[in-house]
Each structure stands twice: as C-alpha cells, then as structure tokens.
Amino acid sequence: MHELSLCHAIAGVVKPHARGRHVDVVRVQVGVLRQVVPESLEFCWSLVCQQLDENMVDTVLDLELVPAEVFCRACAQRAQITSRWSVCCPACQSTDVDLLRGNEFLVTSVDVSEGVTHEAGSRKVK
C-alpha cells in the first residue's frame, strides 16, 4: 500500500507551511495514471494525521482526480484516455502519443486556521 508513504510525503510538504497553525484542508491533484486508490489515500491520510500532530488531527484531504489526456502525433487528435494500462490514442490506436495530463501528484493548496487551542478533545478557534 504505497498510499501510506504518499500521505507521509503530503504531510511533509504541508507541515512546514502550516507553521504550528491548525490545518483545515489539504487539496491534492492526483492523475489517474498514478495508480492511487482514492479511498485508500483518504484512509491512510486519517491515520497519518492522527499520528503526526494535534494541528492535523481532523484535516480534510480534498482530492482532485485528473483524467489522462494525450496528444496523438499520428492523427493530431487530443483526447482523454480511459485505460490505466494502455496509453494510446482512442481515435486511431497509435502509441505515438504525448501524455498531456494524468500523471500529476501535486499539493495545490492548504487552508489553515489561526490561534487554535484544544480543549476536551475538540478544536476551538480563539
């Protein structure tokens, strides 16, 4: 399950930018060709956040799944592909394609709250 290591990598990017503030939402673009199972990533994210820091305990992971898209050099078509296992032009079946989208793995934004204190297990903003 490589999703656990991916979540540790996301947290490693987010934590320095939070600077001790509570992290509310982390937005991540994930290309469909990355072979990431969104449900597994979300589950692993909750585990990593509980272990890491009280400022990330209830952080929401907002995933944007990016479809795969190619440009075919053979027929000059730009098209989305639906297969995760074969990267070829859906119009002419050529494998002479440039991958335009679908391989992303990028933290795009982080929402944080100022002045967070923890009382009786709940988060309160000052």
Side-chain angles (χ1 to χ4, degrees), residues 90-115:
C92 71
Q93 304 307 310
S94 172
T95 57
D96 188 16
V97 296
D98 289 323
L99 182 63
L100 302 175
R101 299 176 59 198
N103 204 27
E104 294 82 356
F105 192 81
L106 177 69
V107 175
T108 58
S109 69
V110 178
D111 293 350
V112 296
S113 299
E114 296 290 338

Side-chain angles (χ1 to χ4, degrees), residues 1-109:
M1 179 176 1
H2 72 287
E3 284 85 353
L4 187 57
S5 62
L6 293 174
C7 288
H8 279 287
I10 294 168
V13 168
V14 169
K15 214 172 164 187
H17 294 286
R19 296 187 189 119
R21 298 170 290 184
H22 183 270
V23 179
D24 298 315
V25 180
V26 176
R27 290 177 190 82
V28 178
Q29 284 184 341
V30 180
V32 297
L33 298 177
R34 281 289 175 166
Q35 303 301 314
V36 172
V37 178
E39 294 82 10
S40 294
L41 193 67
E42 290 168 352
F43 175 74
C44 291
W45 178 251
S46 67
L47 295 176
V48 167
C49 288
Q50 289 174 12
Q51 294 174 345
L52 267 183
D53 189 331
E54 67 181 18
N55 289 325
M56 293 183 70
V57 169
D58 57 353
T59 300
V60 173
L61 184 64
D62 183 11
L63 297 178
E64 176 189 350
L65 298 178
V66 180
E69 187 175 347
V70 296
F71 175 78
C72 179
R73 291 187 204 113
C75 71
Q77 295 287 323
R78 182 178 179 150
Q80 279 190 13
I81 57 173
T82 56
S83 173
R84 291 179 162 198
W85 311 111
S86 174
V87 181
C88 63
C89 176
C92 71
Q93 304 307 310
S94 172
T95 57
D96 188 16
V97 296
D98 289 323
L99 182 63
L100 302 175
R101 299 176 59 198
N103 204 27
E104 294 82 356
F105 192 81
L106 177 69
V107 175
T108 58
S109 69

